[in-house]
Short mmCIF file of all heavy atoms in Angstrom, two decimals:
data_model
loop_
_atom_site.label_atom_id
_atom_site.label_comp_id
_atom_site.label_asym_id
_atom_site.label_seq_id
_atom_site.Cartn_x
_atom_site.Cartn_y
_atom_site.Cartn_z
N ASP A 201 73.70 44.69 -17.80
CA ASP A 201 74.00 45.76 -18.77
C ASP A 201 75.43 46.27 -18.67
O ASP A 201 75.70 47.44 -18.93
CB ASP A 201 73.02 46.91 -18.62
CG ASP A 201 71.59 46.50 -18.95
OD1 ASP A 201 71.42 45.74 -19.92
OD2 ASP A 201 70.67 46.91 -18.24
N SER A 202 76.35 45.42 -18.29
CA SER A 202 77.75 45.82 -18.20
C SER A 202 78.59 44.81 -18.96
O SER A 202 78.40 43.60 -18.84
CB SER A 202 78.21 45.88 -16.73
OG SER A 202 79.59 46.13 -16.65
N GLU A 203 79.54 45.33 -19.74
CA GLU A 203 80.45 44.46 -20.46
C GLU A 203 81.64 44.03 -19.60
O GLU A 203 82.44 43.19 -20.02
CB GLU A 203 80.94 45.17 -21.72
CG GLU A 203 79.83 45.48 -22.72
CD GLU A 203 80.36 46.13 -23.98
OE1 GLU A 203 81.59 46.35 -24.04
OE2 GLU A 203 79.56 46.39 -24.89
N ALA A 204 81.77 44.64 -18.43
CA ALA A 204 82.89 44.31 -17.54
C ALA A 204 82.65 42.97 -16.85
O ALA A 204 81.55 42.70 -16.35
CB ALA A 204 83.07 45.41 -16.50
N VAL A 205 83.69 42.15 -16.83
CA VAL A 205 83.66 40.86 -16.13
C VAL A 205 84.88 40.81 -15.22
O VAL A 205 86.02 40.95 -15.68
CB VAL A 205 83.68 39.69 -17.13
CG1 VAL A 205 83.72 38.36 -16.35
CG2 VAL A 205 82.47 39.74 -18.04
N VAL A 206 84.65 40.61 -13.94
CA VAL A 206 85.73 40.52 -12.96
C VAL A 206 86.04 39.04 -12.73
O VAL A 206 85.13 38.25 -12.48
CB VAL A 206 85.35 41.20 -11.64
CG1 VAL A 206 86.50 41.11 -10.63
CG2 VAL A 206 84.96 42.66 -11.88
N SER A 207 87.30 38.67 -12.84
CA SER A 207 87.70 37.27 -12.68
C SER A 207 88.59 37.11 -11.46
O SER A 207 89.34 38.02 -11.09
CB SER A 207 88.43 36.77 -13.93
OG SER A 207 89.63 37.49 -14.13
N TYR A 208 88.53 35.94 -10.85
CA TYR A 208 89.34 35.60 -9.67
C TYR A 208 89.99 34.25 -9.93
O TYR A 208 89.31 33.26 -10.24
CB TYR A 208 88.47 35.53 -8.41
CG TYR A 208 87.73 36.80 -8.10
CD1 TYR A 208 86.48 37.04 -8.65
CD2 TYR A 208 88.28 37.77 -7.27
CE1 TYR A 208 85.79 38.22 -8.38
CE2 TYR A 208 87.59 38.94 -6.98
CZ TYR A 208 86.35 39.16 -7.54
OH TYR A 208 85.67 40.32 -7.28
N ASP A 209 91.31 34.21 -9.82
CA ASP A 209 92.04 32.97 -10.02
C ASP A 209 91.94 32.08 -8.78
O ASP A 209 91.94 32.56 -7.65
CB ASP A 209 93.51 33.25 -10.32
CG ASP A 209 93.69 33.95 -11.66
OD1 ASP A 209 93.01 33.55 -12.62
OD2 ASP A 209 94.50 34.89 -11.73
N CYS A 210 91.86 30.77 -9.03
CA CYS A 210 91.78 29.80 -7.93
C CYS A 210 92.74 28.65 -8.21
O CYS A 210 92.96 28.28 -9.37
CB CYS A 210 90.37 29.24 -7.77
SG CYS A 210 89.10 30.46 -7.41
N GLN A 211 93.32 28.09 -7.18
CA GLN A 211 94.09 26.86 -7.32
C GLN A 211 93.12 25.72 -7.63
O GLN A 211 91.93 25.77 -7.29
CB GLN A 211 94.86 26.56 -6.05
CG GLN A 211 95.93 27.59 -5.72
CD GLN A 211 96.67 27.25 -4.44
OE1 GLN A 211 96.34 26.28 -3.76
NE2 GLN A 211 97.67 28.06 -4.11
N GLN A 212 93.62 24.69 -8.29
CA GLN A 212 92.76 23.61 -8.73
C GLN A 212 91.99 22.98 -7.57
O GLN A 212 90.78 22.75 -7.67
CB GLN A 212 93.60 22.53 -9.43
CG GLN A 212 92.79 21.38 -10.00
CD GLN A 212 91.94 21.79 -11.16
OE1 GLN A 212 92.43 22.39 -12.11
NE2 GLN A 212 90.65 21.47 -11.11
#
Side-chain angles (χ1 to χ4, degrees):
D201 296 320
S202 174
E203 296 182 359
V205 177
V206 181
S207 63
Y208 302 88
D209 293 318
C210 299
Q211 296 179 357
Q212 183 68 52

